[in-house]
């Protein structure tokens, strides 16, 4: 009887653990914290240009513990992927939200500024190293991709501006920047190639499969089914590649 009981207990524990793991893999258990979820929604609504819902997401982000400077950094990064008009629209919306909260007597934490970037930083080398790290490469590729050969200047802008000037600003971690970028590209539409790169990059910064499923859940529940499906389709391909 005791042996049967022990075996039954073990089976129940295994089934329970399997169910939990499957639930996490399917994104049914929230694995992103409130700050991370707010980065997703702020990035998505900025990209879409839905100011009304963006303002709500900004309020939620501040209430979740994002500092004013962290949110500003998310909005600034959006110009690299969604363009200046969307980024500036988000910044104007944020200014309005802060005025509203100040009038209500709410004092939000400003947060720290970015650390100074060394004046002698080799931005080309730094950006190339960051891009390789995000791609999961230990060595800088010796051969250039076709787009780099075709348009060397875009490669320079990517290395020196995006992956150096922007990613070197330490208000946000690289992982948080990847989270914002995934939400932006999923909301932008028809950006499967860059979205695939940045989902890989997000996992290379330590975001789990469950957390990425949770990104899709946040998009589906709070943003829209189209944006969620775009991310879900690409994530499936990324996971198949990594397996």
């Amino acid at each position: 009887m005791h042996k049967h009981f022990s075996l039954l207990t073990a089976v129940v524990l295994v089934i329970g653990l399997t169910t939990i793991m499957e639930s996490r893999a399917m994104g049914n258990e929230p694995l992103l914290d409130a700050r991370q979820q707010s980065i997703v929604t702020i990035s998505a609504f900025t990209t879409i240009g839905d100011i009304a819902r963006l303002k709500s997401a900004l309020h939620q982000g501040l209430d979740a513990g994002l500092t004013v400077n962290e949110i500003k950094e998310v909005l600034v990064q959006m110009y690299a992927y969604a363009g200046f008009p969307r980024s500036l629209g988000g910044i104007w919306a944020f200014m309005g939200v802060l005025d509203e909260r100040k009038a209500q007597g709410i004092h939000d934490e400003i947060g720290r500024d970015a650390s100074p970037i060394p004046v002698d930083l080799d931005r080309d080398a730094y950006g190339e190293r960051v891009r390789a790290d995000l791609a999961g490469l230990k060595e800088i590729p010796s051969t250039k991709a076709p787009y780099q050969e075709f348009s060397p200047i875009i490669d320079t802008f990517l290395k020196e501006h995006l992956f150096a000037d922007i990613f070197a600003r330490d208000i946000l971690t690289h992982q948080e920047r990847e989270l914002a970028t995934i939400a932006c590209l999923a909301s932008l539409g028809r950006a499967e190639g860059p979205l695939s790169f940045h989902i890989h990059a997000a996992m290379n910064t330590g975001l789990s499969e469950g957390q990425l499923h949770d990104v899709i859940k946040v998009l589906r529940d709070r943003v829209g089914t189209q944006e969620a499906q775009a991310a879900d389709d690409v994530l499936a391909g990324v996971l198949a590649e990594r397996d």
Side-chain angles (χ1 to χ4, degrees):
M1 179 68 178
H2 178 70
K3 291 183 179 179
H4 288 302
F5 179 77
S6 299
L7 179 60
L8 179 60
T9 302
V11 170
V12 169
L13 287 173
V14 170
I15 293 175
L17 180 58
T18 302
T19 302
I20 291 172
M21 293 175 66
E22 289 176 349
S23 175
R24 289 185 174 185
M26 292 302 293
N28 293 328
E29 179 182 336
L31 296 177
L32 296 179
D33 62 32
R35 291 178 71 264
Q36 292 171 316
Q37 291 180 27
S38 289
I39 290 174
V40 170
T41 54
I42 289 169
S43 301
F45 292 135
T46 300
T47 302
I48 296 168
D50 189 331
I51 299 301
R53 290 201 289 173
L54 173 59
K55 285 185 175 182
S56 177
L58 291 166
H59 278 290
Q60 292 172 358
L62 290 167
D63 292 339
L66 285 172
T67 68
V68 172
N69 282 344
E70 286 172 336
I71 291 179
K72 283 198 292 187
E73 197 71 17
V74 171
L75 296 172
V76 168
Q77 180 173 324
M78 289 300 97
Y79 93 83
Y81 297 97
F84 273 113
R86 294 299 195 221
S87 177
L88 288 170
I91 288 170
W92 277 106
F94 191 32
M95 292 168 61
V97 165
L98 291 176
D99 286 341
E100 291 174 16
R101 293 171 71 89
K102 185 177 180 180
Q104 296 168 8
I106 301 173
H107 301 284
D108 294 299
E109 182 182 351
I110 300 301
R112 64 182 184 83
D113 292 320
S115 301
I117 296 176
V119 294
D120 59 347
L121 177 69
D122 184 337
R123 291 159 59 241
D124 186 89
Y126 181 92
E128 192 164 43
R129 182 66 263 168
V130 168
R131 181 170 60 184
D133 289 342
L134 292 173
L137 302 174
K138 294 183 178 179
E139 303 293 335
I140 304 295
S142 57
T143 58
K144 294 185 179 296
Y147 80 88
Q148 295 171 311
E149 296 280 5
F150 182 74
S151 180
I153 190 60
I154 197 66
D155 187 45
T156 298
F157 288 159
L158 282 169
K159 289 184 294 183
E160 295 188 5
H161 185 47
L162 176 58
F163 292 118
D165 290 340
I166 296 178
F167 270 71
R169 291 174 56 81
D170 58 0
I171 294 178
L172 298 175
T173 66
H174 287 184
Q175 184 179 104
E176 289 167 335
R177 291 189 183 280
E178 288 304 321
L179 196 60
T181 302
I182 290 170
C184 173
L185 294 174
S187 303
L188 191 64
R190 299 185 178 181
E192 292 83 1
L195 183 54
S196 177
F197 173 88
H198 285 285
I199 289 177
H200 275 293
M203 298 189 78
N204 291 335
T205 65
L207 278 175
S208 68
E209 179 180 340
Q211 286 173 310
L212 287 167
H213 280 295
D214 204 34
V215 171
I216 295 168
K217 185 177 186 301
V218 171
L219 289 172
R220 181 174 290 111
D221 292 347
R222 305 186 192 179
V223 181
T225 56
Q226 184 174 342
E227 292 80 5
Q229 192 60 51
D232 200 13
D233 291 342
V234 176
L235 175 58
V238 168
L239 294 177
E241 290 177 20
R242 295 177 78 92
D243 285 343

